[in-house]
Amino acid sequence: MNGDGERWVVYAAFDTDGRAAPHAVAQLAEYRDLGFRTLVVDTSPTLTAQRAEDWRSSATDWLQRPNVGYDFVSYRTGIETLVERQGVDLGRLSLILANDSCFGPFIPLRGVLARLDALPADRRRLFGITENHEIRRHLQSYWLYMRPDVTPLVFEFLRAMPVPNDRAEAIAFGELALSDHLLAQGCELHAYLAARDVLERFARFRGYLPSLAELGWRRLVKRPKYSRRADTACLKHLLGRADALLVNPTLDFGVQLLREGCSPFVKKELLRDNPHRDPQVPAGLDVATLRNADVERLLGRRAPRFDR
């Protein structure tokens, strides 16, 4: 990490409850323990006195803004605030952009950052936890980390970004376009959990032929090992098909990544909507009431592993 400059987290939050979610408070505490200062940008429709107190006690600074533009506008507002209110020099800023759309952390973020920071500083890199190839390759924006040589480029992008009006535009104008912009600037996109590595881990669970045979048999009898969609991706990977990468690791393998101690986060969307019908996700969950320990209990986390 940047020992000579500043380290901040801009944390986008939204909750109809008016209270700070316990998992958000836990994440802010871990960032603080890692030596990061934190700025919460809250777009919740209500702000109770208790929520304001939650942010005062758990974050270095916080602000509330209107709920427009999704998290990327919160990220932009947050960086602007760091420059204007905190006097931060972006050229010396190691920055994490994160939001409260995930439970966790379920493995220490110190280890995650140590592995990312171990990469040589011979080129500019934007780091994420996961990548997605469903439209084209990009880093998923619920967690992004950058060194000072990339922070000004990200802010340059955010200042020019059109304000998204819906989720589709937030993905197109924000998540996809940011990765495109940085690639065009000669930066590298580096995922802590690359999609190909995730597929290899869960597709080749018993060696090539035994894994291929079991996944094929399970497809015939309609008893998926993971979920029908994840099993199909694993089969395609074993068969060497390029379209195996057209998965969303956080939704297709989110349960397995938690159980194997691979990922620090589990998306709330997986538990709330289960969009790909993972049979390992209990039905009817009220994510607003869940804490990190509840998620571990419900999804059956095993002994943690930190080697991916």
Side-chain angles (χ1 to χ4, degrees):
M1 283 184 280
N2 179 19
D4 297 323
E6 296 194 63
R7 291 179 288 179
W8 279 87
V9 178
V10 172
Y11 191 86
F14 173 87
D15 199 312
T16 57
D17 234 2
R19 287 292 308 267
H23 69 272
V25 173
Q27 289 165 22
L28 292 170
E30 180 138 355
Y31 291 127
R32 182 174 62 245
D33 291 345
L34 290 171
F36 283 84
R37 289 188 280 181
T38 54
L39 171 66
V40 172
V41 181
D42 191 330
T43 58
S44 304
T46 59
L47 181 67
T48 65
Q50 182 59 60
R51 186 181 184 90
E53 179 56 34
D54 289 341
W55 295 142
R56 277 194 292 270
S57 62
S58 59
T60 307
D61 199 359
W62 70 280
L63 61 94
Q64 189 179 32
R65 72 169 188 86
N67 184 26
V68 295
Y70 293 79
D71 291 335
F72 272 90
V73 172
S74 288
Y75 293 160
R76 178 169 69 194
T77 302
I79 299 174
E80 288 172 343
T81 301
L82 293 183
V83 172
E84 296 168 4
R85 199 150 85 186
Q86 299 288 342
V88 170
D89 177 0
L90 297 184
R92 300 180 65 249
L93 174 64
S94 292
L95 178 66
I96 292 174
L97 302 176
N99 62 42
D100 64 353
S101 68
C102 298
F103 292 101
F106 298 109
I107 62 173
L109 291 175
R110 185 178 300 278
V112 173
L113 288 166
R115 197 168 81 200
L116 300 179
D117 280 325
L119 291 170
D122 58 345
R123 66 186 66 182
R124 296 177 297 182
R125 293 182 175 92
L126 178 67
F127 301 100
I129 298 297
T130 49
E131 63 180 5
N132 190 308
H133 293 251
E134 287 180 299
I135 300 174
R136 58 186 178 273
R137 181 174 180 257
H138 62 279
L139 296 177
Q140 295 186 280
S141 60
Y142 63 88
W143 194 93
L144 298 169
Y145 169 54
M146 63 210 72
R147 295 165 174 163
D149 57 352
V150 171
T151 302
L153 296 177
V154 171
F155 186 47
E156 171 189 85
F157 165 82
L158 292 172
R159 293 181 71 181
M161 180 192 71
V163 175
N165 293 309
D166 54 36
R167 186 180 181 188
E169 288 189 352
I171 294 171
F173 299 167
E175 196 166 77
L176 290 167
L178 174 60
S179 288
D180 291 345
H181 175 75
L182 291 179
L183 287 171
Q185 297 294 318
C187 298
E188 178 182 290
L189 307 178
H190 184 92
Y192 178 74
L193 294 167
R196 194 177 302 278
D197 293 338
V198 172
L199 284 167
E200 179 67 13
R201 183 184 188 101
F202 296 115
R204 202 180 296 263
F205 50 89
R206 286 186 182 174
Y208 175 74
L209 287 176
S211 299
L212 185 65
E214 180 175 334
L215 289 167
W217 172 79
R218 286 180 174 276
R219 185 173 181 85
L220 287 173
V221 300
K222 299 182 179 180
R223 291 177 57 187
K225 179 173 179 61
Y226 307 121
S227 68
R228 182 172 178 82
R229 181 178 154 100
D231 282 23
T232 297
C234 288
L235 278 168
K236 290 179 177 179
H237 176 74
L238 292 173
L239 294 170
R241 288 178 49 173
D243 60 346
L245 291 172
L246 302 181
V247 293
N248 185 327
T250 62
L251 301 179
D252 291 310
F253 293 98
V255 174
Q256 299 306 317
L257 290 171
L258 171 70
R259 288 180 176 178
E260 296 297 320
C262 299
S263 176
F265 301 116
V266 172
K267 292 286 285 184
K268 285 163 52 174
E269 180 184 2
L270 174 63
L271 298 171
R272 183 186 62 237
D273 304 329
N274 194 9
H276 300 157
R277 299 182 181 179
D278 188 330
Q280 301 162 106
V281 177
L285 294 176
D286 180 4
V287 297
T289 65
L290 295 180
R291 295 173 177 262
N292 287 338
D294 299 321
V295 175
E296 292 182 292
R297 174 178 53 81
L298 290 164
L299 298 185
R301 185 187 183 196
R302 301 169 188 164
R305 297 177 60 178
F306 306 120
D307 61 347
R308 183 185 286 172

